[in-house]
Amino acid sequence: MKVVVIGNGMVGYKFCEKLVAKNTAANISIVVFGEEVRPAYDRVHLSEYFAGKSADDLSLASKEWYSENGIVLHLSDPVISIDREKKTVFSHAGVTESYDYLVLATGSAAFVPPIPGVEKEGVFIYRTIEDLELMIGWAKKSKKGAVIGGGLLGLEAAKAMLDLGVTNTQVIEFAPRLMPRQIDDAGSKLLHSKLEDLGLTIHTSKNTTAIEGDAAITGMRFSDDSSFDVDMLVISAGIKPRDELARAASLEVGPRGGITVNDNLQTSDPFIFAIGECALHKGMIYGLVAPGYEMATVVVNQLTAIANNTPLGDGGSFTGFDMSTKLKLIGVDVASFGDPFVSGDGVRSIVFDDSVKGVYKRINVSADGKQLLGGILVGDAEQYNMLLQTCKNKVVLPPNTEDVILGARGGEGDAGAGVTSLPDDAVICSCEAVTKGSICDAVKLGYETVDGIKKCTKAGTGCGGCVPMVKDLMLHTMKAAGKVVRNVLCEHFDYSRQELFDLIKLNELRTYDDVLNMLGKGDGCELCKPPVASILASLWNEVILKKGNDTAQDSNDRFLANIQKGGTYSVVPRIPGGEITPDKLIVIGQVAKKYNLYTKITGGQRIDLFGAHLSDLPNIWEELIEAGFESGHAYGKSLRTVKSCVGSTWCRFGLHDSVSFAIRVEERYRGLRAPHKLKGGVSGCIRECAEAQSKDFGIIATEKGWNLYVCGNGGSKPQHALLLASDIDEETCLKYLDRFLMFYVKTADPLTRTATWLNKMEGGIDYLRSVVVHDALGMNAEWEAAMENHVNSYECEWKAAIETPELRKRFTHFVNAPEQKDPTVVFDPMREQKRAKEWK
Amino acid sequence: MIAEKTITWFAACSVSDVPANGGVCVKNNDTQIALFHFTRRDEWYATQNECPHRMQMALSRGLIGTQNDEPKVACPFHKKTFSLVTGECLSGDACAIKTYEVKVEDGVVFIGIDE
C-alpha cells in the first residue's frame, strides 16, 4: 500500500510517526510533501524561538529520521493538484506520485481580515519560523506595536512582541472580552488587568477599519473614529483552513472553509482523508494539537487494518474531542475545561474571585453536586489536571465541593480526589493520549523513573503539563507494589543516608575508607564523600580533619573556610547571639586590616571577612583565637548562628532575656554536623525582631515561658516554622531541641533542610510532636545522651588545625613553594574596600 | 610514523606531601599543576589546576573519586567533574583539561611536561 501525505506540520508528522510505529509488517510505503523548508517543528512553542530556542530545538524529527524509516520527504515542494481518477498528485517541482490513499494534513493559514492596508510593510502574521524571522528584523527599529486578536493566538503574539522588546504594545480585540472562546466575562476581566500590569494596553469591542501609512505602517484607525500611531502590527485573529487543494479537486468543503470529513475522517472521496486543522468535522475546525494527533491515530488505525487485512476494532472513528486547554500566557495561567460556560437549570456554579491575588476560578457542577461539568481557571491553574480528569471521568465530587478549587481548609486529608481515585482509562497525557493504566503498567514493567516512563509511553513528551501527575502515579504504583522507593547516595553506596547512619553506628566505623570498604563499593566520589564524612562527624564528634577523613570532606570543610570567587576564602568567627564586645570588634578590624580583607555584616548577625589567601588562614585564625574567638562553622553543614533580638535587658517590650538564651543555645549546638546547615533565632517578645519563625528552630518569649517553633527556613522557598510546644521553660525547650535536632540529623536525606524534611514526613508536625514531646519512638533518652556527648566533646576545629603541624601544613597554595601565594588572585577596588575580580 | 614525544620530568614534591586520596597544587615556573594521589587505587594523576568552567585555580582542592570506575576530580566551585585519565569533562560540558604523566622514584613524585 502506498500512502501520500500532503503537509508536514505537527499533525502530518505525528501521522508519520504513528504509522511507522504500527507498520510492523512493513507493507505500507510513505511519501510526504511539505511546503516549508524545514521538516515539521513544534508550532505550539513557537514563541520560545524568541526566548533563545533554535529552529533545531523546535524540530520534531530530523530529515534523517524520515529516511531511516523509509519515508520519502519532499520539502519546499507543495502539491499543486490532485488527479482523483488516476489517484495521482503533482508537485510544484514537477514530482508525480501515485497513491492508494491520500492524507491531507494541510493545516491552516492565519486569517487576515480584509482591512485596507494589510499589505503594508511592518504588518505581519504569526505562523511559521519564517514569519518570526521577519518580525525579529523589523522589531529592532520598532517602538509602538499592536496585535489584532485577543484570543489564544493573539495573546501568544502579544507575548512574542514583549519578548522582541516592543514593550509598548496594544492588543485589539473585536469581541467584548479577551479569549472569548475559553473564558467568561469575570475571568476575562481578571486576565485583562493582569496583562495590563505587564505593560500591554488592551482594547476590546474595537474594530479596525484601516491601516495607515505610505509604504510602511504608521498608524491604525478604528470604527469608533479613534486612531493611534503604530509602527509594527501582528495580525493573529484566527485561522483559516488550507482547503484550496481540496477545493480544486472538487472535494466537499464547508461554507466557511474546511475539508468536510465523516467520523472516519474520510473526505467526500473515500480514498482521501483529511486530518488536523484543515478538516471540518461536524461543523467544527479543531485548532488545537491534541485533537489533530487523535485524528492522525484514527486514520493510522484504519490504514494499517486495511493493509494487514485485520479487523479494525473501535479505533477507526473520531468522535469529537475535548477542547480543554491550559496555557501560560505571559506568566499568567489560563485554563478552561469541559463546558466552561454551561448554565441554566440543573447546573450550579461555584465561583472564587480574588482580585487581590489575581485568581479567578469557576467550576460548573451538576444539580446534585456530584459531577463536575466544566470550569475556568485564571491566575492559578495548578488544579487543572486533576479537575480535567475529575470532569472527564465523571469522578464523584467530595461533599464539600468547593474544596476542589480552594483546597481543604482546616482538618486533615486530601482535598477531593487524588490520582488514586481515577479509573485506569483516565487520560493523563492528552497530547499523546496516554491513560493512567498504561503509565501504571509501564511502572510495573520496571520503568521506575519519569524519564523512563516518558520514553516508554510518550506521556509528558508534549506540553509537559502532566509530568507531576506522571510522577505521582509512578510513586503510588511503586508503593502499592510494596516497593520502597530507593533513595541511595550514589553508585558507590546502595543505602540511603539514614540507613548508612545506622550501619556506621552499629559497626562503629570511623573513617571514610572503612565505611566504603564495609558498606560500599568502588572508590567513592564527590556525592558520597561529604555525606559520609558528615555522618562520621555527627556520630563521633571527632575533629573532621582527622587523617583518613580530611580528603573526604567537602572542600569548604577541608579548608575550614568558604571558597569564594577567585579562589580566596572568607572567614566567619562565631559571635554567639550576635553579642560582641568593643574589644573583640577592634580585633576583627585589626585582623581585617592586616590581611587586607573585605568586611561585611552577615544576615546572621556576624561579621564575614572576605578575600583571605589559603596560606593566610592559619595566621588569621591564630590571631582571632588569641583574642577569644572560635570557628563560626560558616563553611559546614552544621549550626550557623542563633540570631537574637536585644530582649528584656534593654528593650521596653521584652518579656525575657533573649540574648542570654540565644547564646546558651548557640554554644550548646555549635559544631553539630547535620545533613544541611542549621539556623536558629530567639525573640524576646511576639514582635519577633529576631525573625525566629524563619529559622530551623525559633524560640519566642511568652508571658509564661517560651514558644518553640521548628522547621522554618528562608532560602529559595521560604516557609514559616510551625509551633511544636508552647509556654515551656528553658530546660524543657533545650530538651525538645536536643531530641528534634538528633531526630533530624539521624533521618534526613543529604542536603535536606528541616523544612523539606518535615514536608516529606508522613503525619507532619503532629507526628513530629508525638515523637519529640511524647516519645512515640522511644528514642528520646538515646538522643538526649547523644547530644550531651556532643556538647561535652566539642572543640574548636580551627584551634585543632593551627596547633597540629600536619594539619596546618595543608593550608598552602603551592606544595613546592609554600611561602608563595596564588599569583592569579586579583582584586578590584570598590567603595574603599575591594572585591573579587569578576570571572569569565 | 609516530612522532616521539619529548617529556621533561621535574621533581614536584615528596610522596608524603600529598594527602591520601587528595590533591595539592604544584608550581612549575608559571604553570600551576594539580597533583593527586589516588591512594585507594595506588595511582597518581596530574592535570592543569585551572577549572576551565570559570577559569578558577582550584582543581587541586577538589574531591576525587570514580564514575563507572573512571577516576575523576570535582571542581570545588560548581562540582563540574573531569576525568583524571583523559581530561574530558564528565558533566556534559565541552571543555576539557590537560593531563600530565606522573612517576614516583625513591619517595619523590615527578611530573612529566611534554614540550
Side-chain angles (χ1 to χ4, degrees):
Chain A
M1 180 192 286
K2 182 170 171 188
V3 176
V4 171
V5 185
I6 303 180
N8 189 228
M10 295 182 77
V11 172
Y13 162 73
K14 186 55 69 172
F15 173 82
C16 294
E17 184 197 292
K18 289 186 185 272
L19 189 56
V20 164
K22 263 204 139 182
N23 183 25
T24 43
N27 51 10
I28 301 177
S29 63
I30 310 168
V31 178
V32 179
F33 288 90
E35 66 176 12
E36 288 189 57
V37 292
R38 303 179 174 75
Y41 53 87
D42 183 354
R43 231 184 279 279
V44 175
H45 295 104
L46 206 53
S47 63
E48 291 173 17
Y49 193 66
F50 297 120
K53 284 218 175 182
S54 68
D56 278 351
D57 292 332
L58 292 173
S59 168
L60 295 171
S62 63
K63 287 179 189 166
E64 290 72 41
W65 179 86
Y66 293 89
S67 54
E68 277 162 19
N69 287 289
I71 299 174
V72 179
L73 176 64
H74 299 284
L75 288 177
S76 311
D77 192 11
V79 167
I80 47 168
S81 66
I82 304 169
D83 183 337
R84 285 165 52 196
E85 283 197 1
K86 292 192 180 127
K87 290 171 96 175
T88 304
V89 299
F90 305 92
S91 84
H92 181 74
V95 179
T96 304
E97 287 279 2
S98 65
Y99 62 82
D100 295 310
Y101 288 93
L102 181 64
V103 176
L104 301 175
T106 46
S108 65
F111 166 68
V112 179
I115 303 166
V118 288
E119 73 292 343
K120 290 191 198 308
E121 285 175 37
V123 180
F124 301 88
I125 53 171
Y126 182 73
R127 181 78 192 159
T128 64
I129 288 184
E130 279 67 32
D131 295 336
L132 299 200
E133 281 169 349
L134 292 172
M135 281 169 66
I136 291 171
W138 190 271
K140 283 180 190 138
K141 48 187 178 175
S142 168
K143 293 195 174 63
K144 289 183 180 171
V147 172
I148 294 183
L152 222 143
L153 293 168
L155 295 178
E156 273 286 320
K159 171 172 168 32
M161 293 290 268
L162 293 181
D163 287 343
L164 284 172
V166 188
T167 45
N168 182 2
T169 287
Q170 323 234 9
V171 175
I172 299 136
E173 169 59 45
F174 179 71
R177 64 169 190 257
L178 293 173
M179 298 188 71
R181 285 168 186 229
Q182 285 86 10
I183 58 180
D184 61 7
D185 276 337
S188 175
K189 227 167 106 191
L190 180 72
L191 179 62
H192 192 128
S193 71
K194 285 209 148 192
L195 295 179
E196 294 212 318
D197 288 348
L198 293 165
L200 293 170
T201 311
I202 314 270
H203 307 273
T204 51
S205 304
K206 208 162 180 80
N207 189 5
T208 314
T209 49
I211 295 166
E212 300 178 328
D214 296 328
I217 178 171
T218 56
M220 296 171 71
R221 184 161 292 282
F222 305 95
S223 58
D224 56 4
D225 277 343
S226 63
S227 63
F228 50 68
D229 294 343
V230 164
D231 52 24
M232 178 169 180
L233 170 66
V234 180
I235 298 178
S236 193
I239 55 169
K240 186 179 67 183
R242 294 282 301 272
D243 58 9
E244 62 274 12
L245 199 56
R247 252 176 227 274
S250 306
L251 293 172
E252 192 185 321
V253 293
R256 279 181 299 162
I259 307 163
T260 310
V261 292
N262 61 17
D263 282 353
N264 297 328
L265 304 173
Q266 281 165 318
T267 64
S268 51
D269 179 336
F271 297 100
I272 303 180
F273 294 89
I275 56 176
E277 289 179 334
C278 64
L280 181 71
H281 177 255
K282 291 196 173 143
M284 175 107 180
I285 295 282
Y286 288 91
L288 294 177
V289 72
Y293 284 5
E294 173 66 18
M295 289 180 182
T297 309
V298 166
V299 176
V300 164
N301 288 345
Q302 295 179 71
L303 293 179
T304 46
I306 298 166
N308 299 323
N309 200 15
T310 50
L312 178 57
D314 55 5
S317 65
F318 181 78
T319 51
F321 200 88
D322 180 49
M323 289 297 277
S324 303
T325 38
K326 174 185 167 188
L327 61 160
K328 204 171 190 75
L329 280 167
I330 326 177
V332 185
D333 279 337
V334 180
S336 75
F337 58 93
D339 188 341
F341 306 119
V342 62
S343 61
D345 291 346
V347 179
R348 297 184 303 169
S349 290
I350 298 173
V351 172
F352 172 73
D353 192 352
D354 181 346
S355 58
V356 179
K357 282 190 188 147
V359 176
Y360 174 78
K361 298 178 182 183
R362 163 181 168 173
I363 51 170
N364 308 315
V365 179
S366 61
D368 59 5
K370 289 206 167 129
Q371 287 202 353
L372 184 59
L373 304 174
I376 295 164
L377 306 168
V378 180
D380 171 12
E382 206 188 318
Q383 293 128 334
Y384 170 76
N385 277 317
M386 211 53 235
L387 291 173
L388 175 63
Q389 295 303 331
T390 306
C391 177
K392 274 175 145 173
N393 296 292
K394 302 191 165 50
V395 174
V396 176
L397 290 167
N400 297 319
T401 313
E402 70 277 11
D403 286 359
V404 301
I405 49 171
L406 299 180
R409 296 164 316 295
E412 291 174 11
D414 256 354
V419 278
T420 42
S421 67
L422 295 174
D424 273 355
D425 58 2
V427 174
I428 301 296
C429 171
S430 41
C431 297
E432 292 285 341
V434 186
T435 61
K436 174 184 167 185
S438 19
I439 292 169
C440 295
D441 288 347
V443 178
K444 286 173 199 155
L445 284 172
Y447 292 94
E448 293 179 346
T449 62
V450 172
D451 282 343
I453 295 170
K454 276 185 174 177
K455 275 195 193 121
C456 171
T457 65
K458 293 208 155 242
T461 56
C463 71
C466 61
V467 171
M469 281 183 102
V470 171
K471 189 170 178 202
D472 271 0
L473 278 174
M474 177 187 87
L475 294 175
H476 270 102
T477 312
M478 289 169 70
K479 226 173 166 179
K483 275 196 187 151
V484 184
V485 182
R486 295 292 299 167
N487 188 9
V488 300
L489 278 195
C490 69
E491 66 179 65
H492 304 105
F493 288 97
D494 257 339
Y495 297 106
S496 69
R497 182 183 176 278
Q498 184 178 351
E499 289 164 336
L500 267 181
F501 189 100
D502 290 337
L503 288 166
I504 292 171
K505 186 176 182 200
L506 193 72
N507 293 292
E508 294 194 25
L509 303 174
R510 285 178 183 255
T511 68
Y512 175 77
D513 268 4
D514 288 347
V515 176
L516 187 57
N517 290 340
M518 181 158 205
L519 304 170
K521 54 180 184 271
D523 302 312
C525 67
E526 78 280 3
L527 296 176
C528 57
K529 284 181 173 182
V532 169
S534 161
I535 291 172
L536 291 167
S538 297
L539 275 173
W540 314 123
N541 303 305
E542 290 171 335
V543 172
I544 61 166
L545 295 186
K546 202 184 79 161
K547 201 161 189 299
N549 290 336
D550 52 346
T551 52
Q553 305 292 339
D554 216 339
S555 82
N556 282 348
D557 270 315
R558 184 172 162 207
F559 295 106
L560 303 177
N562 296 47
I563 196 165
Q564 307 287 1
K565 260 186 195 172
T568 60
Y569 286 85
S570 63
V571 170
V572 186
R574 184 166 298 292
I575 300 178
E579 181 187 87
I580 186 164
T581 63
D583 281 338
K584 280 187 159 178
L585 274 176
I586 289 168
V587 170
I588 287 187
Q590 285 167 338
V591 168
K593 270 180 113 165
K594 179 168 173 187
Y595 295 95
N596 187 22
L597 305 175
Y598 165 86
T599 51
K600 186 180 184 305
I601 311 287
T602 71
Q605 303 186 332
R606 318 205 273 187
I607 299 171
D608 204 339
L609 313 164
F610 290 80
H613 282 273
L614 184 56
S615 52
D616 282 341
L617 287 175
N619 305 331
I620 290 170
W621 274 106
E622 198 153 37
E623 294 186 31
L624 290 172
I625 287 169
E626 177 66 31
F629 286 104
E630 61 177 359
S631 168
H633 297 98
Y635 45 82
K637 304 298 174 214
S638 58
L639 181 78
R640 297 285 171 85
T641 101
V642 179
K643 187 175 174 179
S644 71
C645 71
V646 73
S648 61
T649 52
W650 292 92
C651 175
R652 68 191 191 279
F653 298 117
L655 294 170
H656 308 311
D657 180 0
S658 48
V659 178
S660 297
F661 196 21
I663 293 172
R664 189 174 172 202
V665 173
E666 182 160 342
E667 290 186 338
R668 183 169 182 81
Y669 303 122
R670 64 187 166 187
L672 177 70
R673 285 309 202 276
H676 210 312
K677 63 184 172 191
L678 285 164
K679 295 179 177 183
V682 182
S683 277
C685 78
I686 196 58
R687 286 171 190 76
E688 244 283 65
C689 296
E691 296 164 332
Q693 288 165 97
S694 66
K695 308 296 184 196
D696 295 279
F697 55 88
I699 303 166
I700 302 174
T702 69
E703 295 280 350
K704 296 176 208 153
W706 303 95
N707 280 353
L708 174 59
Y709 294 80
V710 291
C711 301
N713 76 222
S716 62
K717 227 179 137 196
Q719 186 168 327
H720 278 137
L722 298 174
L723 184 65
L724 184 75
S726 39
D727 297 327
I728 50 177
D729 60 23
E730 283 195 15
E731 300 313 314
T732 311
C733 187
L734 290 181
K735 200 158 70 179
Y736 288 173
L737 270 177
D738 286 358
R739 300 167 179 177
F740 161 71
L741 290 172
M742 278 300 169
F743 187 23
Y744 165 67
V745 165
K746 187 175 146 61
T747 59
D749 283 331
L751 300 180
T752 302
R753 289 287 296 271
T754 55
T756 316
W757 171 68
L758 180 67
N759 293 347
K760 287 186 188 167
M761 188 182 289
E762 266 183 59
I765 184 75
D766 293 331
Y767 176 72
L768 180 63
R769 189 180 297 110
S770 74
V771 172
V772 169
V773 178
H774 306 297
D775 204 10
L777 293 178
M779 290 294 290
N780 286 345
E782 189 180 310
W783 289 339
E784 284 168 39
M787 191 61 85
E788 210 49 46
N789 182 36
H790 162 80
V791 173
N792 295 332
S793 56
Y794 168 80
E795 61 178 310
C796 171
E797 353 185 278
W798 261 113
K799 191 160 188 288
I802 58 171
E803 286 173 355
T804 317
E806 63 265 31
L807 293 184
R808 189 167 180 153
K809 87 167 197 190
R810 299 291 180 211
F811 293 87
T812 55
H813 184 68
F814 293 115
V815 68
N816 55 344
E819 70 292 345
Q820 289 185 31
K821 292 174 178 164
D822 180 359
T824 67
V825 169
V826 188
F827 301 108
D828 286 335
M830 190 185 215
R831 285 188 296 277
E832 294 171 58
Q833 294 200 66
K834 63 175 184 179
R835 53 157 296 169
K837 189 154 188 71
E838 192 52 55
W839 56 28
K840 291 149 212 165
Chain B
M1 225 173 59
I2 298 166
E4 194 83 358
K5 264 198 297 187
T6 343
I7 290 188
T8 314
W9 294 96
F10 85 95
C13 58
S14 66
V15 168
S16 61
D17 286 336
V18 186
N21 296 306
V24 293
C25 174
V26 178
K27 180 176 156 68
N28 177 38
N29 301 322
D30 288 338
T31 311
Q32 299 195 17
I33 298 172
L35 172 68
F36 302 96
H37 189 190
F38 210 144
T39 326
R40 257 192 92 80
R41 299 169 66 94
D42 196 20
E43 290 166 349
W44 288 87
Y45 294 100
T47 69
Q48 68 185 59
N49 191 34
E50 186 182 67
C51 174
H53 170 226
R54 289 291 190 187
M55 312 300 166
Q56 301 288 301
M57 284 295 182
L59 288 179
S60 60
R61 301 176 200 167
L63 285 160
I64 60 170
T66 55
Q67 177 176 321
N68 297 322
D69 215 37
E70 171 108 357
K72 62 170 180 174
V73 59
C75 174
F77 276 92
H78 304 96
K79 294 271 149 74
K80 300 266 177 200
T81 56
F82 299 91
S83 164
L84 290 171
V85 181
T86 64
E88 178 198 348
C89 179
L90 303 175
S91 314
D93 291 59
C95 51
I97 55 172
K98 182 173 171 53
T99 59
Y100 300 89
E101 289 187 43
V102 185
K103 67 178 180 183
V104 177
E105 281 170 11
D106 298 330
V108 177
V109 188
F110 292 85
I111 298 176
I113 309 292
D114 45 34
E115 308 297 323

